[in-house]
Amino acid sequence: MLPRMTPIPPVGLGLWKVPNAAAAGLVAEAVRLGYRHLDSACDYGNEAEVGDGIGAALAAGHCRREDLWVTSKLWNTYHAAGHVRPALDRSLADLKLDYLDLYLIHFPIAQAFVPFETRYPPGWFFDPADSAGGMRFAPVPLAETWRAMEDLHAAGRVKHIGVCNVGTAQLRDLLAGCRVRPAVLQIELHPYLTQEKLVRFCRAEGIAVTAFSPLGAPSYVPLGMATPDESVMTEPAVAAAATRLGKTPAQVLLRWGVQRGTAVVPKTSRAERLAENLAVLDFTLTEAEMAAISALDRGRRFNDPGVFAEAAFNTFCPIYE
C-alpha cells in the first residue's frame, strides 16, 4: 500500500511575482479570508515579507501554525548535498518558521553554487554583471540532491518532500532508489497543457499534484512569454460554464483543476481577487463541461527553460522533450 500524506489544501496562494512591498499584507489578508496553503520559493525573492505576513496572521489569531500548509523550494544553485540544508535553513529563517510542510526541488537543473553573501536569491545568471556569461551548470545528479532532501525529512525540518517541473522518467528514477518517496509533484497545468499521462501516473503512484499557472497565460504576458490572445479564459467552453454557474471564467478554470484532483496555486497581487479565487469549492462542473475544457489541450507550455533561458539568460537549457 502506498504511504498516505497530509492532504494539501486544494486552493493555495501562489507567491511568484508578488511584489515585496505587498507580500506581507497580501499573505495576512489571505489567511484571514481562509487560505491555508501558501506556495513560496527562495527564487521569488519575497520570503522574508511572506514570513512577516504569516507572523501577522498567526498573531491576529486567524489560524494556528499547524493549520497552514507552507511550501518552499530549493533553488538550482543549491543542489549539491552540502548546500541543501543551508538553503532550507535560510528559507525557514526568512519565513520565520521552524519547519515546512513541503520542500520541493524547484527545477531539475543543477547550477553552480552562489554563496548567500554574494547574492540572495541568486537567480539564473552566474554573474549578472557578466550577462554574456549566462548560466553556469554544476555536475550534480538529481539523486544526490534527493538524498539530501531525505535527510531534511528525517531531521523533521520538512514534513514532506517533492519535485517540480519533471516528467515520468525522472519520477520513475527517483522512485526506484529513494528512501522517502516524493510526496508532491508541482507542474504547469491548465487547459492548454493538461499533462494527462503525467497526472495519471502520479495518481497511480500516490503522488499528489499541484498545478502552478492554473489560469494559463496571464502571468506570462507581461514577461513576453505569452500573447494576450492565448488566454484560455476567453474560450467558449469556459465562458459557457461560467455563464451557467454564475461564476467568473477564472473560477471555472480553478474548479476544473480542483475537480480533476489537483491542488491549484493561483497568483494574485490584488486583495479583491483573493476571495474570488478561494470560492471554487461550492460548485461542480458537469462531466460534459470537464471534457470540453480538457479538450482545449494544445500542449502549450508557457514556463519552459528551453525557451526562456536562452532568450533571457543567454543559455540553452532544455528540460522537456
Side-chain angles (χ1 to χ4, degrees), residues 192 215-235 298 300 302:
Y192 284 166
L215 302 180
S219 290
Y220 300 98
V221 172
L223 301 176
M225 296 162 67
T227 58
D229 62 354
E230 292 184 287
S231 174
V232 71
M233 285 189 274
T234 62
E235 289 283 355
R298 56 176 71 171
R300 176 60 166 108
F302 297 108

Side-chain angles (χ1 to χ4, degrees), residues 74 78-92 98 103 116 145 148-149 151-158:
L74 177 77
Y78 308 129
H79 277 212
H83 299 146
V84 173
R85 175 65 180 264
L88 171 69
D89 287 344
R90 174 61 188 260
S91 279
L92 287 173
D98 296 325
Y103 200 39
F116 296 158
T145 309
M149 296 281 284
D151 291 341
L152 300 179
H153 180 268
R157 303 287 280 170
V158 296

Side-chain angles (χ1 to χ4, degrees), residues 1-306:
M1 180 177 292
L2 296 172
R4 297 178 63 85
M5 63 172 280
T6 304
I8 306 175
V11 181
L13 175 62
L15 294 160
W16 178 48
K17 292 177 61 185
V18 173
N20 294 65
L26 189 74
V27 167
E29 176 64 5
V31 175
R32 186 189 71 80
L33 289 171
Y35 280 83
R36 296 296 180 263
H37 178 180
L38 303 171
D39 186 74
S40 186
C42 154
D43 187 55
Y44 300 167
N46 57 13
E47 287 196 319
E49 291 80 9
V50 169
D52 290 340
I54 293 172
L58 296 178
H62 297 322
C63 71
R64 302 168 301 168
R65 167 63 185 98
E66 54 265 36
D67 297 325
L68 287 176
W69 178 288
V70 182
T71 296
S72 188
K73 306 179 187 78
L74 177 77
W75 186 239
N76 305 341
T77 52
Y78 308 129
H79 277 212
H83 299 146
V84 173
R85 175 65 180 264
L88 171 69
D89 287 344
R90 174 61 188 260
S91 279
L92 287 173
D94 284 347
L95 292 166
K96 303 163 188 68
L97 299 175
D98 296 325
Y99 67 91
L100 289 177
D101 298 273
L102 176 65
Y103 200 39
L104 299 168
I105 299 175
H106 205 148
F107 282 96
I109 302 169
Q111 294 182 243
F113 176 62
V114 177
F116 296 158
E117 59 270 22
T118 298
R119 189 172 66 256
Y120 189 88
W124 293 84
F125 281 120
F126 179 71
D127 180 3
D130 178 24
S131 60
M135 298 163 57
R136 185 178 298 180
F137 300 108
V140 182
L142 192 60
E144 175 182 331
T145 309
W146 189 254
R147 285 193 295 272
M149 296 281 284
E150 291 175 323
D151 291 341
L152 300 179
H153 180 268
R157 303 287 280 170
V158 296
K159 288 190 172 183
H160 305 92
I161 54 177
V163 286
C164 304
N165 302 300
V166 303
T168 54
Q170 287 164 309
L171 283 175
R172 285 183 183 278
D173 193 50
L174 282 178
L175 290 168
C178 64
R179 301 191 311 262
V180 180
R181 294 169 60 89
V184 178
L185 171 66
Q186 185 174 129
I187 47 176
E188 181 181 344
L189 282 179
H190 44 75
Y192 284 166
L193 185 69
T194 62
Q195 305 215 60
E196 298 288 350
K197 291 180 180 178
L198 182 52
V199 172
R200 179 180 174 183
F201 176 80
C202 288
R203 186 178 300 118
E205 292 292 338
I207 299 170
V209 176
T210 297
F212 73 78
S213 301
L215 302 180
S219 290
Y220 300 98
V221 172
L223 301 176
M225 296 162 67
T227 58
D229 62 354
E230 292 184 287
S231 174
V232 71
M233 285 189 274
T234 62
E235 289 283 355
V238 176
T243 298
R244 180 185 73 81
L245 292 159
K247 301 293 183 178
T248 67
Q251 287 175 312
V252 168
L253 293 178
L254 296 178
R255 178 65 205 183
W256 173 83
V258 170
Q259 199 164 314
R260 69 196 297 242
T262 67
V264 295
V265 286
K267 166 261 175 186
T268 183
S269 296
R270 298 168 57 185
E272 63 270 21
R273 293 289 188 198
L274 288 173
E276 176 186 321
N277 289 347
L278 192 60
V280 298
L281 303 179
D282 61 351
F283 67 93
T284 303
L285 298 170
T286 67
E287 289 185 12
E289 287 168 337
M290 288 291 294
I293 295 171
S294 295
L296 298 172
D297 184 34
R298 56 176 71 171
R300 176 60 166 108
R301 190 185 303 275
F302 297 108
N303 195 325
D304 186 348

